Amino acid sequence: MARRNHELTGPCSAGDVLAVHLQDRATDFLRSLRLHREAGPAGGGAASADAAARLRRSARRISGTLHTFRPMLDREWSDALRPELAWLSGTLAREHAYGDRLERLLAALTRLSGTPVPVPVRGGVQVRGGVQVPVRGGVQVPVGGGGRVPVPPAPQVPATVPGPAAAPVPGQGQGQGSGGRAGSVEPAGALALGAAKAGALLERQLNLARTRAHSAGLQALGSARFHAVADSVALLASEVPLAGAAAGPPSGLGPLAAEAGARLLDAVGALPLLRAGHPYNAEALAHGLTGDPAPQPQDAPWHQVRLLLRLHRYADEVLRSVPDAVPDGAGEGARLLSAGHALDRHRDASEAAAAASAAARTPRITPATAYALGVLHADQRHEVEAARYAFQRVWVREEARV
């Protein structure tokens, strides 16, 4: 739950509750912006990434509150600010998403192949999980102190050595059904090489996208559009434009929050929860071989539920800030958080599978590389299925069995 900087005491109106909540979120936004500037966004360090995450979180909460409680606010003002906050949050989230996606895919490749997938070194810099690490002489140079970590070597592939004919080795060479060529790559070595090349291809594509997202984020933070958003949030921290309906009692906030909950229930009702409740149902693997590069259409309803669940949680935070409010209980809040985590896993696995599928469409890649990417895509679609199962288990309360 977000931090509260102000407390309401005594009789108050719905507008007072909304104003205090939005002012708290605006204060968090400005504090995060200050931390982000102090950390230096161009450095790409942990402090800068943490400040950017806090900035996105505050922007999402303000935007969600403006959306749910729109009748209580000045409509022209809220309708102008809400899409700008969504633009800012989305722009800043891309760099982080690409880095996490690369780390997820490389970890999956390592798990599937049974050996660490090496990341290629270019220009004395090794990229792991979106973080650039200087390398000299095959050894990572520690940043800010610490020990030296050796860089994993690339897999060695047996090569044909020209020279006098040698005696054939039993089990190899011309007696094999693989073509009978002396010095041909063993299947295990070919698969390991394919996994390494798949990791290199993903690293190249996703780090290029991450670099472009980083540049876009820097441009956005220096643009006049962002400064206009920051000025609007700074004004929001001191004064909230309210509508006439906000003069009523805080109980008027309940129906608006209930509408957000009803939209969530309708969206969840449209999900195939009965099928998702059966493990290994293979629903997420349907249409896995389609030639359409667009994202899986079956994932869209789950992504929509994730967004509606977030709006429902933000509306619940507003209701909890009402003085003398009776909370729904810690169990319901934990249930919503667990459901949100499951849907976050679903989104991450879905996007990772799409990245593996896009990499497999790269022209002129080797069959072993394409095979490794295909296995990786199927693995991430299985993760999608597991996330749906976890959400179903959290959301549907089973009756006690005798």
Side-chain angles (χ1 to χ4, degrees), residues 265-355:
L265 292 177
D266 291 342
V268 172
L271 295 178
L273 290 184
L274 182 61
R275 185 173 181 83
H278 296 280
Y280 310 108
N281 58 71
E283 177 71 17
L285 297 176
H287 309 292
L289 295 179
T290 180
D292 188 2
Q296 286 268 11
Q298 61 169 292
D299 295 342
W302 296 85
H303 296 335
Q304 180 66 16
V305 168
R306 174 178 170 272
L307 296 178
L308 293 175
L309 178 61
R310 177 180 289 174
L311 290 176
H312 177 58
R313 286 179 45 233
Y314 294 166
D316 186 64
E317 289 178 1
V318 175
L319 294 184
R320 288 173 181 268
S321 64
V322 176
D324 302 327
V326 179
D328 294 335
E332 179 66 15
R335 174 172 170 261
L336 293 179
L337 280 177
S338 299
H341 291 326
L343 292 176
D344 287 342
R345 287 173 48 203
H346 179 276
R347 187 272 316 270
D348 294 342
S350 173
E351 293 180 348

Side-chain angles (χ1 to χ4, degrees), residues 119-156:
V119 180
V121 178
R122 297 187 182 91
V125 173
Q126 184 182 43
V127 182
R128 285 191 176 275
V131 179
Q132 295 184 348
V133 181
V135 175
R136 299 195 191 111
V139 177
Q140 291 182 4
V141 179
V143 180
R148 299 162 69 86
V149 182
V151 179
Q156 300 295 324

